[in-house]
Amino acid sequence: MTLQFISSPATVSRETGSELGGALLGEPPNGAIPAWPVQRIFAPLLGATSTVVHETWRIDGPIKAGHCEEIVWRKAGGLLFGVIELDEADFKGSPKCSSLQAASEEAYRRIFRLLDAEQVPHLWRVWNYLAEINLETQGLERYRQFNVGRQDAFLECHRGATGNVPAACAIGLVGGALSIAFMAGEAPAVPVENPRQVSAYNYPADYGPRSPTFSRAALAYLPGQELLFISGTASIVGHQTVHPGDVAGQCHEAMANVAAVLAEGNRQCRSGGFGLGELSYRVYVRQAGDFPLIRETLVSLIGQAEVVYLQADICRQDLLLEIEAMASHTLGSR
Ligand code: 3EB
């Protein structure tokens, strides 16, 4: 069984039957939407030759497809990919719990319910998108509201909120529903932390009433294959933002963090180790005007690696960019 990641600027290719899921980045397309679970990320692409990018996970072997409680999912072997989209307006908030917090908690509850039913209980990687992530309502920034709902669901569903938690990103878009894509497996992923940073699940209370529930990276395994997912990585050392207002400085620091977490992952991996130049990157840029400098800086650090740039908000007001990455290796049968 091999999982393959394909990124294409073209319109959706005809379904081959091997699609597990994917993402649609950029402008809302005029054309057909794929039939497989697809996370739509309506954020402007920067420096691209097309207005949309389609990313698809392909897998061989029989696929089971399902749709329940606003989750669209597909499963092959011991691997499941799903997307849930919830409209916050459908959730009644209260003075103590915003509708975003309620929607976030419910989304994760539904995800865990599905994973238990399908016997793929272990979350490997989660992609979280929400509108207006830095906006404060009811006295709390929306990212922090999301963190409360997410952590409460992890605890309620007996997952634990430290240590063995998935790699993730949490990104702000202009509008739209709460959208969460996830990949989960029969076997747990190996969480990887960054020695230069405090684990996010141990962040002090200055960053909100509940800490964010994610690991810095995850190594995950399919028969004959090792996958590395590096979480959204920013200019944070310890738990503090460094180089506020300095885009090039943040870019170098974020890449130093990517390199550090990569080295940590390579110490634990089963393949020969991953190189910075072979990763596939997604970079979120807060201010479109910073894009040329960010690209120039990144090219000097990672060469011609595959990078998709999106204009989107980062979960701390002072962060100007965030970098996530992934890669896959074939494992020899020894
Ligand atoms: C950070 O290191 C930057 O809340 O799931 C990066 C990746 C960040 C994931 C999340 C947040 C998340 O704290 C922000």
Side-chain angles (χ1 to χ4, degrees):
M1 187 164 104
T2 309
L3 180 68
Q4 209 192 341
F5 175 76
I6 298 149
S7 179
S8 142
T11 49
V12 193
S13 53
R14 191 167 290 118
E15 184 162 11
T16 64
S18 63
E19 291 83 6
L20 187 71
L24 187 52
L25 293 75
E27 286 175 10
N30 312 316
I33 298 279
W36 53 92
V38 168
Q39 182 167 48
R40 294 171 298 166
I41 305 169
F42 297 147
L45 290 167
L46 300 171
T49 51
S50 62
T51 57
V52 285
V53 167
H54 283 272
E55 296 181 345
T56 310
W57 293 99
R58 290 219 171 121
I59 192 141
D60 40 350
I63 292 184
K64 177 179 175 185
H67 183 180
C68 63
E69 297 191 303
E70 278 132 315
I71 303 180
V72 183
W73 58 271
R74 285 193 176 186
K75 185 186 166 199
L79 178 66
L80 187 146
F81 180 89
V83 179
I84 181 167
E85 273 186 20
L86 293 181
D87 186 345
E88 288 170 48
D90 293 340
F91 291 81
K92 245 179 84 78
S94 69
K96 278 186 161 171
C97 172
S98 69
S99 44
L100 173 61
Q101 182 187 323
S104 307
E105 185 170 348
E106 179 60 15
Y108 274 88
R109 252 194 236 118
R110 291 183 190 181
I111 291 169
F112 290 134
R113 206 149 49 218
L114 170 69
L115 299 186
D116 285 342
E118 290 300 319
Q119 295 176 297
V120 281
H122 302 284
L123 270 182
W124 290 355
R125 174 51 160 118
V126 186
W127 294 262
N128 303 287
Y129 296 87
L130 50 138
E132 303 291 359
I133 196 166
N134 300 125
L135 185 71
E136 187 174 312
T137 65
Q138 301 190 213
L140 195 64
E141 187 189 39
R142 281 168 50 82
Y143 172 58
R144 299 176 179 203
Q145 298 172 15
F146 163 79
N147 276 326
V148 179
R150 173 172 56 177
Q151 194 192 89
D152 284 355
F154 269 78
L155 295 175
E156 185 189 319
C157 301
H158 311 291
R159 255 62 187 189
T162 56
N164 207 341
V165 290
C169 56
I171 292 295
L173 302 178
V174 172
L178 171 66
S179 170
I180 304 175
F182 52 98
M183 199 178 270
E186 256 165 25
V190 178
V192 178
E193 289 301 304
N194 180 348
R196 302 180 80 236
Q197 296 184 309
V198 172
S199 294
Y201 47 76
N202 288 331
Y203 278 171
D206 324 15
Y207 302 100
R210 299 280 199 296
S211 15
T213 309
F214 70 97
S215 59
R216 298 298 179 186
L219 287 162
Y221 296 91
L222 293 168
Q225 190 175 9
E226 177 171 65
L227 297 157
L228 171 69
F229 295 104
I230 296 184
S231 294
T233 303
S235 182
I236 295 174
V237 177
H239 55 72
Q240 271 158 340
T241 300
V242 292
H243 316 293
D246 170 7
V247 187
Q250 289 204 12
C251 204
H252 277 107
E253 202 69 54
M255 276 312 298
N257 281 324
V258 170
V261 79
L262 184 71
E264 198 58 26
N266 284 342
R267 286 202 314 117
Q268 298 176 55
C269 79
R270 298 183 197 161
S271 65
F274 298 87
L276 279 179
E278 67 173 301
L279 304 182
S280 171
Y281 295 84
R282 201 186 273 176
V283 177
Y284 303 98
V285 175
R286 183 184 285 278
Q287 297 159 352
D290 290 339
F291 164 67
L293 182 53
I294 291 174
R295 178 165 60 181
E296 189 189 315
T297 310
L298 279 182
V299 166
S300 76
L301 296 170
I302 59 176
Q304 296 305 313
E306 188 183 338
V307 188
V308 175
Y309 293 92
L310 285 171
Q311 196 249 308
D313 291 335
I314 323 300
C315 66
R316 287 187 193 178
Q317 195 73 64
D318 51 9
L319 291 173
L320 298 170
L321 69 128
E322 184 170 301
I323 302 171
E324 62 188 54
M326 62 189 182
S328 158
H329 277 170
T330 306
L331 294 174
S333 47
R334 265 185 298 153

